[in-house]
């Protein structure tokens, strides 16, 4: 089996084929295995992280400012240069810190695919794995670039263009983390590879992403809390897309005895 890097070189030169229905069915079958557990984890940790974030804000700014309706409505054009820099770096850092947590759901999808046991620790597995630095660096670079450009456009009162840029960048880089955790690529190589892979089949991949957005919207209609049980479909879809594009060796259960992901 060729390495991930070699496969990407071949794809860069010759492209690849992707069947919408095959990928969708794979994603849906995987989703059925993780939907309930992943949804419950999202519910629990959304509440937990929400409380932590609130306490941090109270500690730094006080309860009086938090009760101000305009406090969280941050407009970059209204910030001084120093606060604008802090806003950009802070936003990128928060995204980078949270990225191993979201990567844990890809690990859950992988475990479900291989009929391996997964639990709460699976969600946090990449915080202590050898992939942590690369996940953090890749997410920080993408987020920093995105926030810099969108903030500049917002300052120029081009908010719609900023939103389009942010969504486009997210689309072309959404395979970055799978390429790191499953393909063992470095941060910059994973970003470049994601751009290559998605640029070869943008329309089919966009269609698959739209199905994710549709699922999330359905979840929003289900008393809002339903969105937490449809978000895992995005992880299953990302996993299915990666598996359809990049071929991996099937691990022999006997060979895996005594081995660790860490």
């Amino acid at each position: 089996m060729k390495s991930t890097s070699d496969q990407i070189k071949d794809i860069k030169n010759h492209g690849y084929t992707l069947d919408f229905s095959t990928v969708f069915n794979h994603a849906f079958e995987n989703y059925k295995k993780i939907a309930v557990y992943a949804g419950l984890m999202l519910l629990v940790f959304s509440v937990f992280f929400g409380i932590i974030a609130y306490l941090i804000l109270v500690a730094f700014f006080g309860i009086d400012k938090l009760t101000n309706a305009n406090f969280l409505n941050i407009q970059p054009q209204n910030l001084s240069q120093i606060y604008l820099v802090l806003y950009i770096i802070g936003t990128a850092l928060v995204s980078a810190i949270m990225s191993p947590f979201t990567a844990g759901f890809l690990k859950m999808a992988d475990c479900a695919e291989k009929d391996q046991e997964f639990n709460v620790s699976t969600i946090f597995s990449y915080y202590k794995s050898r992939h942590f630095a690369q996940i953090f660096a890749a997410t920080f670079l993408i987020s920093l670039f995105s926030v810099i450009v969108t903030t500049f456009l917002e300052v120029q009162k081009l908010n719609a263009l900023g939103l389009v840029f942010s969504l486009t960048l997210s689309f072309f880089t959404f395979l970055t983390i799978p390429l790191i955790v499953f393909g063992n690529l470095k941060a910059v190589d994973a970003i470049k590879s994601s751009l290559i892979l998605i640029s070869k089949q943008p329309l089919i991949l966009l269609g698959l992403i739209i199905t994710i957005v549709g699922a999330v919207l359905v979840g929003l209609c289900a008393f809002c809390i339903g969105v937490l049980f449809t978000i895992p479909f995005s992880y299953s879809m990302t996993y299915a897309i990666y598996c359809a594009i990049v071929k991996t060796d099937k691990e022999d259960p006997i060979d895996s005895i005594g081995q660790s992901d860490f």
Side-chain angles (χ1 to χ4, degrees):
M1 178 66 69
K2 290 183 177 180
S3 68
T4 302
S5 297
D6 289 338
Q7 290 186 61
I8 291 169
K9 288 179 183 177
D10 288 342
I11 289 171
K12 184 177 181 180
N13 295 326
H14 307 294
Y16 62 91
T17 58
L18 197 66
D19 182 74
F20 184 98
S21 60
T22 300
V23 176
F24 180 86
N25 290 335
H26 182 191
F28 188 68
E29 290 301 316
N30 183 272
Y31 167 71
K32 289 192 294 186
K33 297 178 181 179
I34 70 169
V36 175
Y37 195 89
L40 289 173
M41 290 301 98
L42 282 171
L43 176 60
V44 171
F45 287 108
S46 293
V47 174
F48 175 75
F49 289 136
I51 293 173
I52 295 298
Y54 181 79
L55 292 176
I56 291 174
L57 289 173
V58 169
F60 275 91
F61 300 103
I63 192 67
D64 293 336
K65 285 189 176 181
L66 287 182
T67 55
N68 188 331
N70 295 321
F71 176 74
L72 295 178
N73 186 24
I74 298 175
Q75 299 294 328
Q77 58 268 31
N78 297 329
L79 298 176
S80 64
Q81 289 187 348
I82 183 63
Y83 279 108
L84 192 60
V85 171
L86 291 174
Y87 166 76
I88 291 171
I89 295 176
T91 301
L93 277 174
V94 170
S95 296
I97 290 170
M98 292 300 298
S99 58
F101 176 75
T102 57
F105 287 96
L106 292 175
K107 177 67 174 176
M108 182 182 292
D110 186 52
C111 289
E113 179 73 13
K114 297 173 181 175
D115 293 322
Q116 297 175 351
E117 183 181 1
F118 55 84
N119 48 44
V120 176
S121 64
T122 305
I123 307 298
F124 298 96
S125 58
Y126 289 116
Y127 280 102
K128 55 183 179 180
S129 80
R130 58 191 174 86
H131 295 301
F132 171 78
Q134 302 305 321
I135 295 172
F136 183 94
T139 306
F140 181 78
L141 290 173
I142 294 169
S143 299
L144 185 64
F145 181 57
S146 178
V147 177
I148 288 173
V149 174
T150 54
T151 300
F152 172 78
L153 292 172
E154 287 177 9
V155 170
Q156 303 302 315
K157 298 184 179 180
L158 298 172
N159 295 38
L161 187 58
L163 177 62
V164 171
F165 174 82
S166 178
L167 292 175
T168 302
L169 182 63
S170 296
F171 172 65
F172 278 95
T173 58
F174 82 89
L175 287 178
T176 299
I177 291 181
L179 285 164
I180 293 173
V181 299
F182 302 129
N184 295 310
L185 297 186
K186 300 296 184 183
V188 175
D189 291 334
I191 294 172
K192 292 178 180 178
S193 298
S194 181
L195 293 172
I196 292 170
L197 296 179
I198 293 169
S199 65
K200 294 297 181 180
Q201 291 283 4
L203 295 181
I204 294 177
L205 290 171
L206 181 61
L208 290 167
I209 295 301
I210 289 174
T211 64
I212 296 174
V213 175
V216 172
L217 290 176
V218 170
L220 282 172
C221 294
F223 305 105
C224 291
I225 196 173
V227 71
L228 297 175
F229 293 90
T230 52
I231 285 177
F233 184 55
S234 66
Y235 302 116
S236 291
M237 181 64 78
T238 301
Y239 179 78
I241 290 172
Y242 176 83
C243 291
I245 298 173
V246 181
K247 309 305 177 186
T248 57
D249 287 317
K250 297 295 183 180
E251 184 180 44
D252 188 331
I254 295 178
D255 293 337
S256 67
I257 295 175
Q259 295 182 359
S260 170
D261 289 335
F262 317 123

